[in-house]
Amino acid sequence: MWRLALRAEVIGVGTELLLGQIANTNAREISTALATIGVDVLWHGAVGDNLERIEKAVRTAIDRSDAVVITGGLGPTSDDITAAAVAAAVDRSLVRDERLAGLIRGFFEARGREMPESNLKQADLPEGATPIEPEGTAPGFFVEHEDTLVFCLPGVPWEMEAMLEKTVLPTLRARSGEAVTVSRHVLTVGLGESALAQAIADIVEAQTNPTIAFLAGGGTARVRLTAKAETTPEAEALIQPVEAAIRARLGRAALEPGEDSVGGVFSSIARGNNLTVATAESLTGGLLGAHLTEAEGASDFFAGSLVCYSTEAKREVAGVDPAILEAHGAVSAECAVALAEGAARVYGTDVGLSTTGVAGPARQEGKEPGTIFVAAWVRGRSEARRVQGYGNRANMRLVAVNSALDLARRMILDANR
Amino acid sequence: MWRLALRAEVIGVGTELLLGQIANTNAREISTALATIGVDVLWHGAVGDNLERIEKAVRTAIDRSDAVVITGGLGPTSDDITAAAVAAAVDRSLVRDERLAGLIRGFFEARGREMPESNLKQADLPEGATPIEPEGTAPGFFVEHEDTLVFCLPGVPWEMEAMLEKTVLPTLRARSGEAVTVSRHVLTVGLGESALAQAIADIVEAQTNPTIAFLAGGGTARVRLTAKAETTPEAEALIQPVEAAIRARLGRAALEPGEDSVGGVFSSIARGNNLTVATAESLTGGLLGAHLTEAEGASDFFAGSLVCYSTEAKREVAGVDPAILEAHGAVSAECAVALAEGAARVYGTDVGLSTTGVAGPARQEGKEPGTIFVAAWVRGRSEARRVQGYGNRANMRLVAVNSALDLARRMILDANR
């Protein structure tokens, strides 16, 4: 039997979203989480701190969705009006929750600070709502109206995430039955989106469950396979043969499964081969190391980075031969190789990675923005790759990071053959 | 005379947004840009690759907005259906634009690649639409319906940004007259959002234009002042006295104006004082250097970073005295100071910055996640600061980055007094 999946809508509240001062990353986090329990997010929205427009957006969402998750506007200041707007949308009045009021008072007392009386408005919830205890200082709540569950969570990402995990997901999982959506990715580096799509066009054509889509950015292109079924194993069984066919077609261009980023795949290969790693970075300014240390436990294999932004630092800190800089410049395959070797030598690691290039917008050493060289040194063997960066400065730096990691990955895997 | 500002809506198209696979950063970029020309963005939305829901969202947007900016779904694959959905929403048919078709053919010919016939669908626009030439491979377009301008741009951020700049902004500026919205920020580090709000509550109460709001994250809290007027100088004149009053109240806690990030403010101070800078990073793994090199021209003052993730690297690469590591551990004020000194010594710079701490989720050296020490060494004087990280691992690393930069900023400014 195939159950109908719950339909959900995610609404961000806050004029800062509409002014572009922050990106709505909460919508992304919530969508990812709801997908794992088989809830279909069909709409995202954002509105400013305006009572009428919030109320209208919530009414529309209640009409068309089974679940609405609202973030933001639950703080103590006068522009925090989400609770009032939701109360209006569900035709109820605001009532003070005395237990929450006590928690808020206690928070200030415990810190020996005086509580502005206005903070107690955070304990005012639509009548009949279920309070969600604060993770930081703002409480959340949820309320049911016309068979739709409306969740209100703070806009601060980590407070939102904790409530999502502890309250929203269990509550919705209990309603949605066993329907699940499972997504798997096949990640590639250095292939364009069109080339990737063309390479597997016939496999894509033949599919409806899983559905297949393409995502590109930062020098990577990924295939996303999304299957729906009653249980996770059933969804995985639908994906498995299609993913296998795609991986067989792409060969080494498809990164190893199990990790969601090039940094994650590389880290897992380095760990699996007992290789220690260091980097020497020019145009990425530390970003390559930052990617390798995003997840906990990187100290298992990652020693550190030499960020050598100036030519002098390349010479003095990473030990690049002045003759190389003289003959080829800092933006060259030769310099990239010397940097990778330097990183491995200085940190005494098995692997050294490097990046150098022109992130733009101006030219450098007479070279165009987008001219990027990455190199890897793996136990005595070194290789460089010329990569074409594209897009803005931030994207070019990502292209460099991902290309360096992919080059080292291929060298390690090839050495194992 | 006060002209009514144009009301705008931004819609992202793509199931990848609803599955949470990417954040809708396009909405942010577009909102920021529209604000600068006085267009009020009142709604953000996102819908999947579903003809009916895209059409519905566009119809709703046309009903309530003067301008609609849609991103995504303009590619060559079968799930790219934005043009068809917009055509339906404005009650027109799709017509091939032969000039665009020629450009697309030419793109493939120039690269000696065979063009899949399906790519020509990118030249099919709603009747009467104005084409926007491709920046990458996907063309855009705009069409007017019931006095509303509907712009369709590709989802790839840099292609979208180029069309926004070249076509959307000039077209809307011509319609919106001279009304502008200007925002200014007062950035603080180390103050909580509530403490900041309390410190300037009376100033906030007294204001309606500019409006004042608070934004927090990554160890920073900022006050945003937004004024509307007919011209930019008039809007700035409204903001100026209020901003001055806030800065006077906050003193050194308010970062210097002119830059939008702590890294930007610090970079500008370092440049202004002719100070060269290097960093030695543990828990931030390179992120501090990456922040300092986000903008072009960092090589003026930034030499590089020593990322010393392992204890061995702290000793061998940054030259931290083993006795310090023995007595205090790597997560200590003493180690932070030694790292900052080490960075300045190795790179021969005037300033050294450092970070060390526990980003979590696990404890380290018996210390809780969120235990962070940052230090700065400025021409022979050093100082460390114990900072409390909060939120998830990524947020804790941002707290460390911003705290280190702020500490060095204060030391440099204090030395100048």
Side-chain angles (χ1 to χ4, degrees):
Chain A
M1 198 199 66
W2 179 262
R3 287 199 200 79
L4 212 59
L6 292 183
R7 294 153 71 99
E9 178 151 359
V10 179
I11 300 176
V13 174
T15 303
E16 66 276 16
L17 293 167
L18 299 180
L19 285 168
Q21 275 145 356
I22 56 172
N24 194 356
T25 54
N26 284 340
R28 178 190 185 169
E29 294 298 323
I30 294 165
S31 298
T32 310
L34 294 186
T36 62
I37 60 165
V39 172
D40 278 347
V41 176
L42 296 186
W43 300 273
H44 284 179
V47 283
D49 304 313
N50 172 289
L51 198 69
E52 193 190 331
R53 284 192 288 272
I54 303 173
E55 180 190 338
K56 184 86 193 298
V58 176
R59 280 188 190 272
T60 304
I62 289 173
D63 279 349
R64 63 188 178 189
S65 306
D66 305 303
V68 185
V69 184
I70 303 169
T71 57
L74 295 181
T77 63
S78 56
D79 59 354
D80 290 307
I81 53 176
T82 297
V86 170
V90 301
D91 303 316
R92 312 206 194 165
S93 48
L94 284 175
V95 180
R96 179 148 304 174
D97 185 292
E98 288 303 337
R99 212 181 97 71
L100 283 185
L103 285 175
I104 295 168
R105 278 200 199 89
F107 176 87
F108 281 86
E109 275 165 19
R111 282 156 187 77
R113 284 160 52 194
E114 205 181 327
M115 185 192 71
E117 199 57 25
S118 64
N119 277 48
L120 285 184
K121 79 177 245 201
Q122 294 183 290
D124 295 342
L125 310 183
E127 208 173 346
T130 306
I132 307 176
E133 287 195 12
E135 296 289 333
T137 60
F141 65 87
F142 64 93
V143 60
E144 184 159 3
H145 187 67
E146 293 172 356
D147 290 330
T148 297
L149 277 171
V150 181
F151 296 88
C152 291
L153 311 181
V156 177
W158 66 271
E159 298 182 22
M160 181 284 291
E161 280 163 30
M163 291 187 189
L164 184 67
E165 202 59 51
K166 291 183 199 166
T167 304
V168 180
L169 296 184
T171 307
L172 288 179
R173 201 181 280 120
R175 293 224 164 182
S176 67
E178 294 300 317
V180 293
T181 306
V182 173
S183 277
R184 292 274 179 273
H185 288 88
V186 178
L187 187 60
T188 68
V189 177
L191 274 179
E193 188 180 353
S194 324
L196 176 59
Q198 221 165 322
I200 61 169
D202 55 320
I203 303 176
V204 175
E205 283 294 308
Q207 284 309 316
T208 54
N209 190 20
T211 57
I212 300 180
F214 299 95
L215 302 164
T220 70
R222 61 178 73 212
V223 186
R224 183 192 68 222
L225 301 102
T226 307
K228 294 197 158 201
E230 293 226 0
T231 65
T232 300
E234 285 173 58
E236 283 170 346
L238 289 168
I239 291 175
Q240 198 278 326
V242 186
E243 180 177 348
I246 292 173
R247 291 191 175 278
R249 181 76 55 85
L250 296 175
R252 177 118 319 157
L255 269 68
E256 291 59 39
E259 299 287 337
D260 195 44
S261 65
V262 188
V265 171
F266 173 79
S267 300
S268 147
I269 291 174
R271 271 206 190 87
N273 286 275
N274 281 317
L275 296 171
T276 55
V277 177
T279 79
E281 313 183 35
S282 181
L283 92 160
T284 50
L287 211 56
L288 182 51
H291 272 239
L292 288 171
T293 56
E294 248 168 30
E296 198 182 13
S299 47
D300 292 357
F301 71 95
F302 179 68
S305 308
L306 302 172
V307 180
C308 302
Y309 218 63
S310 65
T311 301
E312 195 186 338
K314 290 182 183 70
R315 221 168 37 223
E316 303 294 327
V317 180
V320 175
D321 184 344
I324 288 178
L325 292 165
E326 180 79 22
H328 306 282
V331 180
S332 65
E334 291 78 3
C335 179
V337 167
L339 284 169
E341 288 173 359
R345 187 178 57 245
V346 170
Y347 287 97
T349 53
D350 303 308
V351 178
L353 302 182
S354 74
T355 63
T356 181
V358 189
R363 293 159 63 96
Q364 193 189 316
E365 297 184 355
K367 282 159 185 141
E368 290 296 331
T371 310
I372 295 173
F373 293 91
V374 299
W377 182 95
V378 180
R379 288 189 168 157
R381 277 189 331 114
S382 57
E383 241 177 77
R385 197 191 274 180
R386 163 85 164 78
V387 186
Q388 186 57 42
Y390 60 95
N392 59 16
R393 188 173 163 88
N395 200 65
M396 294 211 192
R397 301 205 322 163
L398 272 183
V399 169
V401 164
N402 287 323
S403 303
L405 292 168
D406 183 51
L407 173 61
R409 162 191 164 263
R410 288 174 187 253
M411 289 175 65
I412 296 170
L413 294 177
D414 287 345
N416 286 349
R417 265 194 317 212
Chain B
M1 198 199 66
W2 179 261
R3 287 199 202 77
L4 210 59
L6 292 184
R7 295 152 72 97
E9 177 151 0
V10 180
I11 300 177
V13 174
T15 304
E16 66 275 17
L17 294 167
L18 300 180
L19 285 169
Q21 275 145 357
I22 56 171
N24 193 356
T25 53
N26 283 340
R28 178 190 185 169
E29 292 300 322
I30 294 165
S31 298
T32 310
L34 293 186
T36 61
I37 61 166
V39 172
D40 278 345
V41 176
L42 296 186
W43 300 274
H44 284 178
V47 282
D49 304 313
N50 172 290
L51 198 71
E52 194 191 330
R53 285 192 287 271
I54 302 173
E55 181 190 338
K56 184 85 194 297
V58 176
R59 280 188 190 272
T60 304
I62 289 174
D63 279 349
R64 63 187 178 189
S65 305
D66 304 303
V68 185
V69 184
I70 303 170
T71 57
L74 295 182
T77 63
S78 56
D79 60 353
D80 291 307
I81 53 178
T82 297
V86 169
V90 301
D91 304 316
R92 313 208 193 164
S93 48
L94 285 174
V95 180
R96 179 148 303 174
D97 186 290
E98 288 303 336
R99 212 181 97 71
L100 283 185
L103 286 175
I104 295 167
R105 277 200 199 88
F107 176 87
F108 281 86
E109 274 163 21
R111 282 158 188 75
R113 285 161 49 195
E114 204 182 327
M115 186 193 71
E117 199 57 25
S118 63
N119 276 49
L120 285 185
K121 79 177 246 200
Q122 294 183 291
D124 295 342
L125 309 183
E127 208 174 346
T130 306
I132 307 176
E133 286 196 12
E135 296 290 332
T137 60
F141 65 87
F142 65 93
V143 61
E144 183 159 4
H145 187 67
E146 293 172 356
D147 290 330
T148 297
L149 278 170
V150 181
F151 296 88
C152 292
L153 311 180
V156 177
W158 66 272
E159 298 182 22
M160 182 284 291
E161 280 163 28
M163 292 187 188
L164 184 68
E165 201 59 50
K166 292 182 199 166
T167 305
V168 180
L169 297 183
T171 308
L172 288 179
R173 201 181 281 119
R175 293 225 164 181
S176 66
E178 295 300 316
V180 294
T181 305
V182 174
S183 278
R184 292 275 179 274
H185 288 89
V186 178
L187 186 60
T188 68
V189 177
L191 274 178
E193 188 180 352
S194 323
L196 176 60
Q198 221 165 322
I200 61 169
D202 55 319
I203 303 176
V204 175
E205 283 295 309
Q207 285 310 315
T208 54
N209 190 19
T211 57
I212 300 180
F214 299 94
L215 302 164
T220 70
R222 61 176 75 210
V223 186
R224 183 191 69 223
L225 301 103
T226 307
K228 295 197 158 202
E230 293 225 1
T231 66
T232 300
E234 284 173 58
E236 283 171 346
L238 289 168
I239 291 176
Q240 196 280 326
V242 185
E243 180 178 347
I246 291 173
R247 290 191 175 279
R249 181 74 56 85
L250 296 177
R252 179 120 314 160
L255 269 67
E256 291 59 39
E259 299 288 337
D260 194 45
S261 65
V262 188
V265 171
F266 173 80
S267 300
S268 148
I269 291 173
R271 271 206 190 86
N273 286 274
N274 282 317
L275 295 171
T276 54
V277 176
T279 79
E281 313 184 34
S282 181
L283 92 161
T284 50
L287 211 56
L288 183 51
H291 272 239
L292 288 171
T293 55
E294 247 168 32
E296 197 181 13
S299 47
D300 292 358
F301 71 95
F302 179 68
S305 309
L306 302 172
V307 180
C308 302
Y309 218 62
S310 64
T311 302
E312 195 186 337
K314 291 181 182 71
R315 220 168 39 221
E316 302 294 327
V317 180
V320 175
D321 184 344
I324 287 177
L325 291 165
E326 180 79 22
H328 306 282
V331 180
S332 65
E334 291 79 3
C335 179
V337 167
L339 284 170
E341 287 173 1
R345 188 178 56 244
V346 170
Y347 287 97
T349 53
D350 304 307
V351 177
L353 302 181
S354 73
T355 62
T356 181
V358 188
R363 294 160 61 98
Q364 192 188 318
E365 297 184 356
K367 282 157 185 142
E368 290 296 331
T371 310
I372 295 173
F373 293 91
V374 300
W377 181 94
V378 180
R379 289 187 167 159
R381 275 190 332 113
S382 57
E383 240 177 79
R385 198 192 272 181
R386 162 84 163 79
V387 185
Q388 185 58 42
Y390 60 95
N392 59 15
R393 187 173 163 88
N395 199 67
M396 294 210 192
R397 301 202 324 162
L398 272 184
V399 169
V401 165
N402 286 323
S403 303
L405 293 167
D406 183 52
L407 173 61
R409 163 191 164 263
R410 287 173 188 253
M411 287 175 66
I412 296 170
L413 294 177
D414 288 345
N416 287 349
R417 263 196 317 214

